[in-house]
Amino acid sequence: MVRLPELAHDVATALAGALPPDAGVGADDLAGWLQPPPNPELGDLSLPCFRLARPLRRAPDRIAADLAERLGDDPRFAAIEAQGPYLNLRLSVAYAAARILVPWAAGLSAPRQDRETKVMVEYSQPNTHKAFHVGHMRNLSLGDAIVRLLRAEGYPTVAANYLGDMGVHIAKCLWWYLDVLSDEERTPPAHHRGEWLGQLYANATRKLAAWKEAAEAGDADAAERLAAAEARITEIHRKLEARDPEIVPIWEETRRWSIEEFDEIYEWCGVRFDHVFYESEVDRMGLALVEEYLQKGLFVESEGAVGIVNEEVPHMPFFMLRKRDGTGLYATKDLALAILKFEKFGIDRSIYVVDSRQSDHFRHVFLTLEKMGFPQARKCEHVPYEMVELPSGPMSTRTGNVVLFRTLRETMTRYVEDNYLAKYRGDWPDEEIAHVAHQVALGAIKYGMLARDVNQKIVFDMEAWLQLEGNTGPYLQYVVARSRSILRKCAEVGKRLDPSVLEPGPARDAACAALTAPEERDVVLALAQFGQVQARAAEQLRPHQVCAYLFDLAKRFNRFNRACPVKPSEGPLLQGRLLVVTAVVEALVRGLDLLGIPAPERM
RNA sequence: GCGCGUGUAGCUCAGUUGGAUAGAGCGUUGGCCUCCGGAGCCAAAGGUCGCAGGUUCGAAUCCUGCCACGCGCACCA
């Protein structure tokens, strides 16, 4: 890929050559210091010379002036000017366009370097027997985007899910299912059985909460019912953990309902996992580890429970790993799972995408693993993110303030069909309308979830996310669709990109040199930043940077579209503009793909 | 109380790891369609970057102390 680092590196190499050899400053340093000037009239790239002042023992403005003089006749620059301590460079458009546009338009934008470090990204982690809702979409979108970014940067990456198919929540759900429902009620619907189970779970928790409240208010009957239910739930939980043959078939059947529903959701979302871990495969291994390290003296007993004292976390040093009743916790399983990941997959880096409330938890997990003599603990990292709320407040299954996934999908898809695609009905095939509605709804939800940085809370606002104006997924998809339309319309009158423009030679040079409008230069320079943005986003595991970049690119491209009509153009200018459109469409599509967002052919 | 995070335009958020006059979207106001998709573009208005100190050529960014809000703090996941 032609990255800005490469373009900047061309420039930086030229700059380095103009510096005294004993400066101790290399092209790499310089490339990192180059930045766009605040005002585009000043140039395309700028080198602040402050940091050269010390090694060169000269004033920054003198350095800038000297560099300007020495670079005077480099053909890659259209203008070089020292502005106080800044060296401002204007690139030759012909050079930049050939360097940037041509590879994109030729589809050569992604020959990535292969890397050694094998990475696993664990994300999604829904609980079976519970409902999948909008809140889960942030984790899913984020984890998937991180996987895509890492792969784009050449890291072999294992996308891993970790299903919560073991635990008290299942005991609660099964209590309701077995003890409260009548025989007729116990028949699940034909479809969306996972969601149905989630409702059972929600009913159970609501009833338990109601009893508890009544009991605390002095209701003896409620207290009795609550005690009975809790005893029964504990019994079911024990049987689950012991794999009691009485409960296992029911557990397996209901669990499958949830998993089938999850699979359907992931397919709609375009998310594919390479491996799925289950809590049920690590719970006993976790307890065995607890026993082993209790014997070794690393873990200690406290009030009947077992845990480890991590003084490194002073505000809550005791990390519990086994409850008084002998059962394990989430933490217990995480110890086993972490080890399993490294042993089974030979990974070198292990990423956990889990909300920020678990930051202390993971600090403890990684500290504990290290003390257990598991050096790979240092290769584990938690990627925290803030929660999703609804305009009506925090999400809660108990109060019913949730938007379930199916509602989300259906409402959004219908909105897109009714508001954007209705006019094409009868004109386009029904399947295409349904397909595009799916793509746009998905783009809206994913972009909304990814456009904010991870440490910002998100308020889910479906209407706003679905708008085609402003910083939304559908806006970007629309820009792509409109641009593809331009290329189609041009092709209809025989105006196509000449293949020779993609090869070095006079045709390419003429087309690139014809791009003299400021809007054209602007797009070329924006496009040049793609690689750098991708690299940073992958390095920092923060996909929102890609969103911001794509939106900026799209804005600039719209200005180009307004100012530089393609179809009426002729000759080298036509070829140059076709090159711009083709390259930007490629870049936008590829950028959206990094976010897991599809780009419709037309919409 | 302790820990983590957040505080930037009326609202929602960026801000390239310390650089030039702090930017965008929405909203508001005013312009631009014989023209490849106007679902677009242009312009205006809107800021003590929570507050106070400090570090240096230079701070929204780094350090300290406050203030406000969110989240987490032992048998839930």
Side-chain angles (χ1 to χ4, degrees):
Chain A
M1 179 188 303
V2 174
R3 306 165 175 281
L4 181 65
E6 292 180 19
L7 185 78
H9 211 271
D10 290 356
V11 174
T13 307
L15 290 171
L19 287 171
D22 61 346
V25 176
D28 288 339
D29 299 313
L30 293 166
W33 297 344
L34 285 168
Q35 59 186 28
N39 182 344
E41 284 168 21
L42 293 171
D44 302 322
L45 283 170
S46 170
L47 181 75
C49 298
F50 304 99
R51 275 179 273 205
L52 288 166
R54 202 173 292 274
L56 296 183
R57 281 192 228 124
R58 307 194 59 188
D61 47 354
R62 290 288 304 279
I63 296 169
D66 281 3
L67 280 171
E69 195 175 329
R70 276 186 215 169
L71 288 168
D73 53 354
D74 193 308
R76 285 170 292 197
F77 304 116
I80 303 166
E81 199 179 344
Q83 188 94 26
Y86 295 91
L87 180 69
N88 293 328
L89 306 163
R90 179 170 300 278
L91 294 168
S92 139
V93 191
Y95 154 73
R99 193 86 166 88
I100 301 301
L101 250 30
V102 169
W104 274 107
L108 301 174
S109 54
R112 63 193 187 201
Q113 46 181 320
D114 290 329
R115 316 234 191 191
E116 301 270 309
T117 312
K118 188 175 178 185
V119 190
M120 175 175 285
V121 182
E122 181 205 300
Y123 62 106
S124 194
Q125 312 113 326
N127 284 328
T128 65
H129 302 73
K130 279 172 116 172
F132 200 99
H133 55 74
V134 200
H136 293 102
M137 288 303 293
R138 186 174 197 178
N139 185 297
L140 188 65
S141 307
L142 184 59
D144 185 50
I146 287 173
V147 167
R148 289 165 183 269
L149 276 167
L150 290 171
R151 285 187 179 148
E153 284 294 300
Y155 294 100
T157 304
V158 183
N161 199 346
Y162 177 41
L163 292 193
D165 65 339
M166 205 29 82
V168 197
H169 66 282
I170 293 168
K172 284 183 186 170
C173 179
L174 292 183
W175 160 67
W176 192 266
Y177 177 74
L178 293 170
D179 293 11
V180 180
L181 292 188
S182 67
D183 286 349
E184 307 86 70
E185 288 172 326
R186 198 144 44 231
T187 309
H191 300 291
H192 302 291
R193 297 175 174 194
E195 188 182 304
W196 180 76
L197 270 183
Q199 282 163 10
L200 302 191
Y201 169 77
N203 291 343
T205 51
R206 263 198 294 272
K207 178 61 84 181
L208 291 167
W211 280 341
K212 191 171 183 193
E213 198 178 321
E216 280 166 0
D219 184 335
D221 183 52
E224 201 175 308
R225 285 166 180 271
L226 178 65
E230 282 179 341
R232 174 64 172 142
I233 289 165
T234 303
E235 184 196 355
I236 296 173
H237 190 197
R238 284 242 176 76
K239 286 184 173 175
L240 276 173
E241 294 216 324
R243 306 295 191 272
D244 188 316
E246 186 195 314
I247 202 82
V248 164
I250 300 158
W251 171 69
E252 284 180 339
E253 187 182 23
T254 51
R255 172 183 180 273
R256 195 167 55 247
W257 295 344
S258 286
I259 292 172
E260 281 168 5
E261 177 124 33
F262 293 156
D263 286 343
E264 208 183 304
I265 291 168
Y266 294 141
E267 195 186 331
W268 190 84
C269 292
V271 173
R272 216 178 282 270
F273 291 100
D274 300 306
H275 187 76
V276 181
F277 294 103
Y278 299 91
E279 284 190 28
S280 60
E281 70 181 306
V282 287
D283 61 341
R284 285 174 292 185
M285 177 181 166
L287 283 170
L289 287 171
V290 171
E291 188 55 35
E292 180 186 343
Y293 285 88
L294 179 62
Q295 296 299 321
K296 288 183 176 168
L298 180 65
F299 297 170
V300 294
E301 282 199 46
S302 170
E303 298 172 33
V306 174
I308 182 170
V309 178
N310 288 320
E311 300 289 359
E312 298 88 341
V313 190
H315 59 284
M316 44 176 289
F318 188 70
F319 185 47
M320 186 178 295
L321 294 162
R322 193 173 77 191
K323 292 186 277 186
R324 198 181 303 161
D325 66 5
T327 58
L329 298 97
Y330 197 56
T332 322
K333 298 168 203 168
D334 259 336
L335 294 182
L337 179 63
I339 294 170
L340 192 63
K341 282 176 176 177
F342 280 91
E343 286 181 348
K344 198 165 173 178
F345 289 88
I347 55 172
D348 308 296
R349 185 184 180 195
S350 187
I351 291 170
Y352 296 72
V353 181
V354 181
D355 75 74
S356 61
R357 294 175 304 188
Q358 320 271 336
S359 295
D360 282 329
H361 165 81
F362 282 109
R363 227 186 129 198
H364 272 297
V365 170
F366 304 151
L367 275 168
T368 305
L369 284 166
E370 197 169 348
K371 291 178 185 176
M372 287 164 69
F374 186 69
Q376 291 98 321
R378 291 191 186 160
K379 309 287 187 185
C380 296
E381 60 197 289
H382 174 214
V383 177
Y385 62 89
E386 287 295 323
M387 304 302 291
V388 180
E389 293 185 1
L390 297 177
S392 46
M395 256 177 282
S396 156
T397 41
R398 197 173 50 77
T399 62
N401 193 35
V402 281
V403 177
L404 295 187
F405 177 79
R406 189 153 59 100
T407 312
L408 172 84
R409 175 175 66 178
E410 288 171 359
T411 315
M412 292 183 92
T413 307
R414 198 176 327 114
Y415 185 102
V416 174
E417 286 193 12
D418 292 350
N419 291 282
Y420 306 144
L421 305 178
K423 58 185 170 188
Y424 302 125
R425 205 174 290 285
D427 192 7
W428 295 6
D430 288 349
E431 308 82 67
E432 184 178 358
I433 289 180
H435 182 60
V436 173
H438 173 191
Q439 292 181 310
V440 175
L442 184 60
I445 182 80
K446 282 195 174 175
Y447 194 85
M449 290 294 175
L450 293 171
R452 235 132 290 168
D453 202 354
V454 287
N455 51 22
Q456 292 287 350
K457 189 180 74 182
I458 290 181
V459 176
F460 172 64
D461 186 341
M462 192 182 73
E463 289 268 335
W465 293 9
L466 279 165
Q467 295 311 304
L468 289 142
E469 52 180 33
N471 190 3
T472 68
Y475 167 83
L476 293 175
Q477 290 173 316
Y478 181 75
V479 172
V480 173
R482 195 154 42 98
S483 308
R484 282 172 161 163
S485 168
I486 291 172
L487 294 175
R488 275 196 303 270
K489 291 276 163 58
C490 287
E492 282 170 11
V493 295
K495 293 185 169 180
R496 292 188 178 79
L497 188 61
D498 181 347
S500 65
V501 170
L502 300 178
E503 304 295 333
R508 186 194 73 174
D509 294 344
C512 290
L515 299 171
T516 53
E519 291 85 0
E520 291 160 341
R521 149 186 298 277
D522 223 33
V523 169
V524 172
L525 292 168
L527 205 51
Q529 298 179 43
F530 189 105
Q532 186 185 39
V533 171
Q534 174 183 299
R536 287 182 61 89
E539 188 199 328
Q540 302 179 5
L541 308 176
R542 295 197 304 170
H544 82 282
Q545 293 172 347
V546 176
C547 295
Y549 168 72
L550 291 179
F551 182 63
D552 178 67
L553 178 62
K555 272 319 266 181
R556 292 171 195 272
F557 184 52
N558 268 340
R559 288 188 198 116
F560 160 83
N561 276 332
R562 175 84 188 127
C564 307
V566 182
K567 204 167 123 190
S569 307
E570 300 289 343
L573 183 61
L574 169 72
Q575 288 301 316
R577 289 180 173 173
L578 284 170
L579 194 57
V580 171
V581 178
T582 308
V584 172
V585 167
E586 284 296 314
L588 287 174
V589 168
R590 193 165 149 65
L592 286 170
D593 186 61
L594 288 174
L595 305 172
I597 295 174
E601 283 297 321
R602 50 182 188 172
M603 64 186 269

